[in-house]
Amino acid sequence: MAIDWREHGTLLTLRRHGENAAIVEAFTRDRGRHAGIVRGGTSRRLAPHLQPGAVLDLHWRARLEDHLGSFAVEPLRARAPAVLGDKLALAGLNAVTGLLAFALPEREPHPDLFDRSEALLDSLHESSWAHAYLLWELALLEELGHALDLSVCAVSGMTEGLAYVSPRTGRAVSKIGAGDWSDRLLPLPPCLLGEVPEDTSEILAGLRTTGHFLETQLAHHLGRPLPPARGRYVVALSRA
Amino acid sequence: MSKANADIEALIDLMARLPGLGPRSARRAVLHMIKKRALLMTPLADVLQNVAATARECLTCGNIAGSDTCDICASDKRATGEICVVEDVADLWAMERASVFKGRYHVLGGTLSALDAVGPEDLGIPRLIARVAAENITEVILAVGATVDGQTTAHYISGELEGRCTVTSLAQGVPIGGELDYLDDGTITAALKARKTF
């Protein structure tokens, strides 16, 4: 007897498979990152709808649970068309879908991260998006077991004047606690603690810190380099 | 199985690997060629051999040519100061079929990807930038796909060429013969954004 389920999900990646089919990876609330073959996925009828970020109604079927299985897809909502002409928003869409496809384990539900990612992808044109993206990267690290402890200084135990993050432990360090070691520590801009950023340079400083842990913790753990889309978003933001 | 039959089976297997053909249609095609041996099979074999010996990538634009420089790059008439950037040779051939563009091309051979490690060097983007300076190019037309990867590549190239020449892109919208009812939301959105005075 075939196994099947039906759920809404956001398309993360698509790879051609044979002449007309595609292997699609989608992020769903209850089943996490899940792959399946879409027959006719590269056809003229379906291909325009199967762009990263698209919300799909997915009906997955397979003979056995551990088979790749196939998706019957019904496009519900596209996100890409609205951002194709906006360099920064498009780079943001790529960074989010690229990091999710890269980092999430297959078939492991992450409902909180799903809700957060959906909200982020639905607000690509908002002026505060870069800050929301920075906090989303923090949440991604936390969800996957690499949380940063930014609540208290690891040296002095102080909760005030936190200005740095230890690149080794991911714990906050205050200005006083850092002493002569400050040039070896990563920046902890207030926007990383949830405060409204003063300018883009503050967000870029925060991205430098999250990027360090994405690279040294997450990517190192997975044994693969970070997707280039993340770096391209940082470059696009610095030039914006 | 005799040698002749084995050769025919091998031919069918190879033909079945071609795009658009499967084992059944490859079998029909091979049978047809055998029946029209003098008219089809022998000339086809000769041409295949010639193309296999001579076909290569144009060192300048990436088009498929019979020598190191394709006819388009070799022609002085095509030196209009315009370069049309396409993803693939198939796109270049599609543009040429339309016979509208009179300049030269640059074939990327793919697009930047969010996940795959396909970088600007793999797509010959530094070579494109060098061509813009060397060939006195005034306009680069980005004719890449209206997909996330295609437009990411377009934005990247546009950024790299900033201040060097005019960068334009193909319009997006309703295709000739298209009916709105059958169009996807993205195309309608793009068409509405790019509307013009009638």
Side-chain angles (χ1 to χ4, degrees):
Chain A
M1 200 174 77
I3 301 160
D4 73 327
W5 53 259
R6 190 168 183 168
E7 199 182 337
H8 291 184
T10 293
L11 191 144
L12 300 179
T13 65
L14 176 138
R15 285 173 201 277
R16 283 187 84 99
H17 181 72
E19 263 184 61
N20 298 314
I23 295 178
V24 156
E25 280 188 328
F27 187 24
T28 65
R29 193 172 199 282
D30 294 338
R31 290 170 180 82
R33 181 168 68 93
H34 206 295
I37 288 185
V38 178
R39 313 261 175 226
T42 55
S43 67
R44 281 187 191 180
R45 187 182 68 84
L46 263 182
H49 300 287
L50 299 182
Q51 294 294 311
V55 183
L56 307 168
D57 178 54
L58 301 157
H59 187 186
W60 183 81
R61 288 171 68 92
R63 198 164 59 78
L64 294 171
E65 184 67 44
D66 56 355
H67 282 183
L68 173 64
S70 63
F71 278 132
V73 298
E74 182 74 37
L76 296 177
R77 190 157 51 88
R79 288 189 175 109
V83 299
L84 285 183
D86 182 337
K87 184 179 184 172
L88 191 59
L90 185 61
L93 172 74
N94 274 325
V96 174
T97 54
L99 272 176
L100 286 172
F102 166 79
L104 288 177
E106 259 197 282
R107 302 188 183 189
E108 191 180 287
H110 291 275
D112 292 342
L113 184 65
F114 175 82
D115 292 341
R116 202 167 178 148
S117 305
E118 288 295 288
L120 188 69
L121 289 170
D122 283 336
S123 60
L124 279 160
H125 278 302
E126 287 182 15
S127 56
S128 60
W129 196 85
H131 186 214
Y133 172 77
L134 172 67
L135 298 178
W136 175 85
E137 279 197 350
L138 267 186
L140 178 73
L141 283 165
E142 186 177 344
E143 185 82 17
L144 298 173
H146 305 285
L148 308 188
D149 180 2
L150 307 178
S151 57
V152 62
C153 174
V155 180
S156 63
M158 291 167 67
T159 54
E160 300 289 315
L162 301 174
Y164 303 102
V165 180
S166 161
R168 201 170 58 81
T169 62
R171 296 182 65 188
V173 180
S174 65
K175 236 176 203 165
I176 298 166
D180 294 340
W181 294 84
S182 60
D183 57 343
R184 298 191 188 184
L185 300 172
L186 295 164
L188 174 51
C191 66
L192 208 49
L193 298 166
E195 289 181 29
V196 178
E198 280 184 11
D199 52 25
T200 308
S201 65
E202 202 182 309
I203 297 171
L204 287 167
L207 287 170
R208 198 185 130 208
T209 298
T210 52
H212 170 82
F213 292 102
L214 286 171
E215 192 89 54
T216 59
Q217 303 284 321
L218 193 61
H220 180 73
H221 175 72
L222 294 169
R224 289 175 280 146
L226 279 180
R230 198 264 175 192
R232 284 190 206 120
Y233 173 67
V234 176
V235 172
L237 183 64
S238 65
R239 289 179 180 174
Chain B
M1 191 189 290
S2 68
K3 168 116 182 24
N5 278 348
D7 286 345
I8 291 169
E9 284 301 323
L11 179 60
I12 292 168
D13 281 351
L14 285 171
M15 293 280 288
R17 289 189 207 170
L18 296 177
L21 291 185
R24 192 186 283 264
S25 43
R27 198 168 285 278
R28 282 178 58 204
V30 169
L31 187 62
H32 185 72
M33 283 194 291
I34 291 170
K35 283 181 180 170
K36 308 257 180 185
R37 192 179 309 223
L39 195 68
L40 274 176
M41 195 168 228
T42 312
L44 182 66
D46 291 343
V47 172
L48 278 175
Q49 205 162 21
N50 289 344
V51 172
T54 58
R56 69 195 80 167
E57 243 181 43
C58 170
L59 295 176
T60 310
C61 73
N63 187 13
I64 301 290
S67 61
D68 286 343
T69 304
C70 70
D71 292 345
I72 297 172
C73 289
S75 167
D76 288 338
K77 286 183 182 171
R78 305 295 295 248
T80 59
E82 294 168 335
I83 286 182
C84 180
V85 178
V86 291
E87 282 178 29
D88 201 61
V89 175
D91 300 329
L92 187 157
W93 289 353
M95 291 286 291
E96 282 297 283
R97 275 201 309 274
S99 303
V100 178
F101 180 64
K102 302 296 179 198
R104 288 176 174 159
Y105 293 92
H106 191 86
V107 182
L108 297 171
T111 52
L112 295 174
S113 162
L115 276 178
D116 301 328
V118 180
E121 289 78 16
D122 301 305
L123 301 178
I125 294 174
R127 192 156 45 92
L128 170 67
I129 294 163
R131 282 185 70 190
V132 168
E135 296 177 30
N136 293 323
I137 299 300
T138 54
E139 182 178 358
V140 168
I141 303 163
L142 300 171
V144 292
T147 61
V148 167
D149 286 349
Q151 292 305 301
T152 299
T153 311
H155 283 300
Y156 180 84
I157 295 172
S158 162
E160 292 298 303
L161 291 175
E162 206 175 320
R164 296 171 200 257
C165 64
T166 306
V167 182
T168 57
S169 70
L170 294 188
Q172 292 161 5
V174 185
I176 303 295
E179 293 174 40
L180 291 187
D181 195 22
Y182 290 95
L183 293 183
D184 60 284
D185 302 352
T187 306
I188 293 177
T189 307
L192 196 64
K193 273 186 185 172
R195 68 187 182 276
K196 58 183 183 182
T197 310
F198 192 68

